[in-house]
Amino acid sequence: MLTVRNLHVYYGAIHALKGVSLQVEEGEIVTLIGANGAGKTTTLHTLSGLLKPREGEILFQGQNIAGMAAQKIVALGLSQVPEGRRVFANMTVLENLELGAFLRKDAAGIKEDMEKVFVRFPRLQERIKQLAGTLSGGEQQMLAMGRALMSRPKLLLLDEPSMGLAPLLVKEIFSIIKEINAAGTTILLIEQNAHMALSIAQKAYVMETGKIVLSGPANELAQSEEVQKAYLGG
């Protein structure tokens, strides 16, 4: 579904991504783990069109989307749930969800997807008229995920979904990620909580200073001494 080849991205003179290559197959959960500043968010921003690569290819279902406008990439079926949730604080829960579907014209499909979001996140339905800025961190994370799902993505990019959440909520968010995947959405997940990410992913990539330094089946990487030392506190 997604093939990234030799991606180079710069912030001015800073070489942020140095030849990143990775692959996501349809139906998979793939995780990208690494320390803060390794280049994980830069990778997602480049995939979703917020940053333009200086070099490299991003093939989404065979089409090169490198440097394409962000809204065109969403229309093709690739949506991002940004780090820090980024909900529209002065708009209601309902308005935030409607914005997720702003590129769509199929009223019946939008209504159906809205109902699916409320089945998956009942708390959002309870707070449908509430301003998004007044929700708790966990509820805002659910809203950010629901909003992305309203664009009916084929591939969902999740950036640090567990950040700042209580352990019980982290478990809930991860079980929802598994459900979303089981219902047919492919997922690329960036996560500081490497232990949780490796427990639900099929494949994993480890990133350090703008490069992929390790990759393989998630369960094998979870057992690797190098990964345990660096990311799992082992």
Side-chain angles (χ1 to χ4, degrees):
M1 181 173 267
L2 180 75
T3 303
V4 177
R5 290 197 196 114
N6 193 32
L7 211 54
H8 288 266
V9 175
Y10 289 77
Y11 290 110
I14 297 163
H15 196 174
L17 296 186
K18 305 163 187 162
V20 167
S21 296
L22 56 88
Q23 200 148 5
V24 180
E25 305 294 337
E26 189 166 346
E28 279 186 322
I29 297 178
V30 175
T31 188
L32 187 56
I33 61 172
N36 262 339
K40 305 184 304 294
T41 294
T42 301
T43 303
L44 284 203
H45 282 179
T46 310
L47 299 182
S48 54
L50 300 173
L51 289 171
K52 288 192 172 23
R54 194 171 293 183
E55 208 180 304
E57 279 188 321
I58 304 166
L59 298 174
F60 179 56
Q61 296 190 310
Q63 182 176 355
N64 192 0
I65 60 168
M68 191 184 272
Q71 67 271 25
K72 286 192 176 153
I73 291 175
V74 172
L76 288 175
L78 192 153
S79 282
Q80 181 172 348
V81 179
E83 183 182 5
R85 310 186 251 286
R86 303 284 182 91
V87 296
F88 297 102
N90 297 326
M91 298 172 84
T92 65
V93 166
L94 180 62
E95 287 166 339
N96 269 270
L97 292 173
E98 285 170 344
L99 268 179
F102 81 102
L103 289 174
R104 294 174 57 184
K105 302 281 183 278
D106 55 324
I110 291 170
K111 187 169 181 283
E112 184 189 321
D113 286 351
M114 185 82 72
E115 279 159 15
K116 281 185 192 162
V117 166
F118 290 143
V119 167
R120 193 158 275 141
F121 303 108
R123 260 177 281 180
L124 295 183
Q125 187 157 27
E126 289 163 21
R127 290 158 175 65
I128 192 164
K129 293 195 167 83
Q130 206 168 308
L131 291 181
T134 65
L135 301 176
S136 70
E139 288 160 357
Q140 287 190 15
Q141 184 59 50
M142 291 171 189
L143 179 55
M145 288 166 74
R147 180 180 61 190
L149 289 172
M150 287 302 295
S151 69
R152 204 173 266 188
K154 296 168 187 158
L155 174 60
L156 187 61
L157 309 176
L158 287 165
D159 195 352
E160 303 284 6
S162 79
M163 189 192 257
L165 300 184
L168 265 178
L169 262 176
V170 172
K171 274 193 162 151
E172 191 179 339
I173 291 290
F174 271 86
S175 80
I176 290 165
I177 292 169
K178 280 165 70 176
E179 279 172 33
I180 290 168
N181 177 247
T185 305
T186 305
I187 289 172
L188 176 58
L189 167 70
I190 283 184
E191 184 48 71
Q192 282 276 301
N193 187 334
H195 188 73
M196 286 294 274
L198 291 170
S199 76
I200 68 164
Q202 285 86 46
K203 196 161 74 196
Y205 291 89
V206 179
M207 206 169 196
E208 278 173 20
T209 58
K211 293 183 182 132
I212 302 282
V213 292
L214 278 175
S215 66
N219 54 355
E220 283 178 23
L221 283 190
Q223 302 306 315
S224 128
E225 209 174 301
E226 211 176 324
V227 171
Q228 288 192 344
K229 268 194 189 133
Y231 305 107
L232 303 175

